[in-house]
Amino acid sequence: MTTTISVPFSPPCVGEEEVAAAAEAIRSGWLTTGPKTAQFEADFRDFVGAPAAIAVNSCTAALGLALRLHNVGPGDEVISTTMTFVSTLNVVQHVGARPVLVDVEPDTLNIDPRAVARAITPRTKAIIAVHYAGHPADLDRLAEAANEAGVPLIEDAAHAVPAAHRGQMIGASDRLTAFSFYATKNLAVGEGGMLTGSAELLERARRLSLHGMSRDAWNRYGEKGNWFYEVLEAGQKCNLSDVQSSIGLVQLAKLPAMQARRQAIWDAYNEAFDRLPGLQTPATRTGVDHAHHLYVLRIRPGAMVDRDQLIAGLAARGVRTSLHFIPVHLHRHYRQAYGYGWGDFPVAEDAYGRMLSLPLSPALSDAQVEAVIQSVGELVGRRARRAA
Ligand SMILES: Cc1ncc(COP(=O)(O)O)c(C=O)c1O
């Protein structure tokens, strides 16, 4: 039987509470960064156990600030994974430094700490770990490599809300850690992000997020404010508005329930697909709490369908999928500017050729999840079993 139910890839899990919160912020007359953003920062900081947190308008902005806070600039190299969204590496170039890509671990597709150690040179100024799909990277070995090189480890936690490594929440350390609240993320405000880390570093981040000004609008135009401010350095403009922070506050309160639903969908997928010989389900190592952001399935070599056929077959049945990621080193800019190309990172390339991301969102109904399972089974299962 072929299903006809339509299954979007990542429908947002927002409702009337978010609408009411945004409306209240708009009616309050305070649209830009103000009391709601201060509340969102405090609640998020407490939720992950961070020393400090600054809300910004994207994870990309948070990563860019992290590089500036560590004084990364022209002539420097920054090591990161090729299996990420280009944002992680684009920001390195925004500060004038050179991105140095490395391969990933075959099971988690997270940055390989051994490859990081091999890529360190006297010009290395920072390492950026990405918690791919919500699975925490091997922070112990990455921190070891960073310590040996005497450089900071920065965390791209765009997928890792909430996640934990050896019982410590991602974002709870002194390390600069960048989160995303983009529309498809586990906690979504439309466009938004958060930078967590040591209070000392983040004091400058607040200034850098708003033109380098000594005081923000709330401090100038709030009840006890006055008009004076000084520009202390040439900052960016990446503060988060109170409208988005109001949505973020509602999403943060709903996060445990949304995560439980993600976990249930994840478990249902694993149970169904672990039985099908043509499929490789995502790995979860012991000692981590996975954020279950992306369900990345891989087609095993020799299966009766390849990845592209599976994506097309699912689309024909109304199931939308995505792909995370085209490895950064294969993008034209990275090939032309840095000489990267096919063959450079075999683990990432092999995974890229076999992967797709299945629909995953707390907003999916049981019937939609069942439709995904049934459709994948029809396309891969029976044919793979016949082939076996
Ligand atoms: C791994 C990773 N890092 C960074 C980003 C950038 O996030 P934002 O859109 O909030 O800037 C993304 C976005 O999808 C991402 O997947």
Side-chain angles (χ1 to χ4, degrees), residues 65-72 125-126 152-154 176 201 204:
L65 289 180
L67 293 172
R68 284 193 70 177
L69 292 173
H70 285 307
N71 301 311
V72 179
K125 195 68 187 276
L153 176 64
I154 295 167
L176 292 174
L201 281 171
R204 184 173 165 222

Side-chain angles (χ1 to χ4, degrees), residues 89-113:
L89 280 315
N90 281 353
V91 292
V92 171
Q93 295 153 90
H94 298 166
V95 295
R98 182 185 180 92
V100 174
L101 300 169
V102 298
D103 212 343
V104 291
E105 299 171 326
D107 57 346
T108 62
L109 303 184
N110 268 324
I111 187 167
D112 183 343

Side-chain angles (χ1 to χ4, degrees), residues 58-60 63 84-85 87-88 130 156 158-159 180 182 185 192 325:
S58 69
C59 178
T60 306
L63 288 167
T84 186
F85 187 55
S87 165
T88 317
V130 177
D156 177 340
H159 302 176
S180 175
Y182 176 69
K185 296 296 189 279
F325 293 96

